[in-house]
Amino acid sequence: MIYLDYAADTPVDAQVLDLFCQISQDAFGNANGAHRLGRKAKQLIDNATINIKNQLSCLNMEIIYTSGATEANNLAIKGVARNYRENGRHLISTCLEHASVSGSLKYLQSIGYEIDLVSIKKDGTVDLDHLRELIREDTILVSINYVDSELGVCQPIKSIASLIAAYPNCFFHVDATQALGKIPVCFEQIDLVTFSPHKFFGLNGMGVLQKNDNLILEPQIHGGTSTSYYRSGTPFTAGTAATALALELCLDQLEERLTQVALKSDWLKKQLSNYPLVSFNSTEHSVAHILNLSIKGVKAQAFQAALSDQEVCVSTKSACSTDNTPSRSVLTVTGSRELARSSWRISLCHLTTDRELQEFMEVFDYCYKSLTKK
Ligand code: PMP
């Protein structure tokens, strides 16, 4: 099997899994328990939290643990919207967001909030002039991802943050799920950051919302003890420690891994460009580990199924949308419904070997020839 879907999920690192198992057995006490095992668990969570804050240089932020980035995005967006509704009911986002962001916004729209989507330029980045036109005194939140999961476009987060900073009632939320652990990131001037460790060799079923200390959210889950007022439920001690370790391991080797992935990605693009019906949808601003392409005239699902029959795993759209509709992100960036219908994604990581890529190209060649012959 050749796995080229690392933007959807990654295998858990052995050290992370070992730590998870060890803590699950040795420190299983409820961290809110006023006994020895409870205190041990609480200490582990506190250590993990400090570790994460140090690594992300965000000592003045609160870390809230959730079940995934989906829940973290819901909490960030609905939490701000509900708590700051007296300041305004206007929110801004893009059409490149994950379903958990667009879904939260759609829900807010259904209960009377006003949502505007900022234009995306041909290179996949946010049109800052349009954002400047859209933002108003009653805008309470701008939510824009660092890197989108389909095209892998890295947004000019610093410039967006500076623009928003002139509006004191407006918070900035960044979904960093596809960026953290893959590229160097800077979270300065960002009020809310969300991410998920299963994208960087941590565990599935965990998510993190990092929020500015002086920002208040309306909780989305009520009742029960927790590590945070904002998210009820028995603290997940082993999960938090595993998240901190996964982050540490991948940030330690970030530059090295990024260089490796960039070399592999360049090689792959060169090989794929030899096929006349291949069109790249990822842009010059896309990260190295995500490559979105279309084979003109071949529906994405047909090409994916042909690759899957040959034991190659790639994604159409993001793994979180299962329908067969054209990709909204690809349509926005390319302006072509045909490309949007035939787009699919290869995603790499440092574990991808040259041999796997060579084998992938052989399979690709076979599928291309069989699906494009008239
Ligand atoms: N945001 C982005 C950009 C994603 O790619 C994903 C996962 N595909 C999510 C949020 C949701 O993450 P989780 O699976 O942890 O809920």
Side-chain angles (χ1 to χ4, degrees), residues 320-336:
C320 306
S321 43
T322 47
D323 57 15
N324 282 345
T325 52
S327 156
R328 189 165 79 142
S329 307
V330 176
L331 180 59
T332 303
V333 171
T334 64
S336 158

Side-chain angles (χ1 to χ4, degrees), residues 146-163:
Y146 217 116
V147 168
D148 73 279
S149 54
E150 267 192 79
L151 297 158
V153 174
C154 184
Q155 295 298 337
I157 294 297
K158 218 171 159 184
S159 310
I160 299 171
S162 314
L163 198 157

Side-chain angles (χ1 to χ4, degrees), residues 114-178:
E114 191 187 345
I115 314 295
D116 270 319
L117 296 183
V118 60
S119 302
I120 298 295
K121 296 189 293 186
K122 286 267 162 275
D123 64 4
T125 61
V126 162
D127 182 340
L128 292 171
D129 291 332
H130 190 219
L131 179 58
R132 212 170 277 116
E133 279 169 34
L134 288 177
I135 197 162
R136 329 187 291 224
E137 291 305 324
D138 66 336
T139 307
I140 50 171
L141 185 75
V142 174
S143 175
I144 294 178
N145 58 31
Y146 217 116
V147 168
D148 73 279
S149 54
E150 267 192 79
L151 297 158
V153 174
C154 184
Q155 295 298 337
I157 294 297
K158 218 171 159 184
S159 310
I160 299 171
S162 314
L163 198 157
I164 297 170
Y167 292 80
N169 284 341
C170 182
F171 296 109
F172 185 24
H173 164 233
V174 173
D175 177 356
T177 309
Q178 289 292 350

Side-chain angles (χ1 to χ4, degrees), residues 158-328:
K158 218 171 159 184
S159 310
I160 299 171
S162 314
L163 198 157
I164 297 170
Y167 292 80
N169 284 341
C170 182
F171 296 109
F172 185 24
H173 164 233
V174 173
D175 177 356
T177 309
Q178 289 292 350
L180 189 62
K182 308 285 172 70
I183 55 165
V185 289
C186 171
F187 294 153
E188 267 169 42
Q189 290 190 298
I190 304 177
D191 303 293
L192 301 128
V193 177
T194 42
F195 61 88
S196 186
H198 75 92
K199 304 289 187 188
F200 52 81
F201 312 95
L203 291 160
N204 235 312
M206 274 297 291
V208 176
L209 164 57
Q210 177 195 300
K211 85 159 186 67
N212 220 324
D213 246 352
N214 52 22
L215 185 157
I216 298 165
L217 298 171
E218 186 177 289
Q220 303 299 301
I221 300 174
H222 302 99
T225 51
S226 170
T227 46
S228 164
Y229 160 74
Y230 296 110
R231 209 291 193 158
S232 304
T234 301
F236 188 14
T237 311
T240 54
T243 297
L245 179 61
L247 188 61
E248 201 178 312
L249 294 174
C250 78
L251 292 187
D252 263 2
Q253 296 175 50
L254 190 74
E255 293 295 339
E256 199 183 311
R257 289 180 178 181
L258 187 54
T259 310
Q260 284 173 25
V261 172
L263 285 173
K264 292 179 210 297
S265 168
D266 286 347
W267 183 85
L268 194 59
K269 270 188 251 174
K270 213 162 158 194
Q271 300 301 312
L272 290 165
S273 345
N274 293 326
Y275 294 81
L277 296 176
V278 166
S279 179
F280 295 115
N281 303 313
S282 288
T283 76
E284 72 268 28
H285 293 284
S286 294
V287 291
H289 61 277
I290 293 182
L291 181 60
N292 189 300
L293 68 155
S294 295
I295 318 295
K296 285 181 204 146
V298 184
K299 282 219 172 92
Q301 287 74 16
F303 211 92
Q304 184 201 29
L307 289 172
S308 179
D309 285 346
Q310 304 296 317
E311 306 212 349
V312 171
C313 308
V314 298
S315 268
T316 54
K317 296 206 270 178
S318 98
C320 306
S321 43
T322 47
D323 57 15
N324 282 345
T325 52
S327 156
R328 189 165 79 142

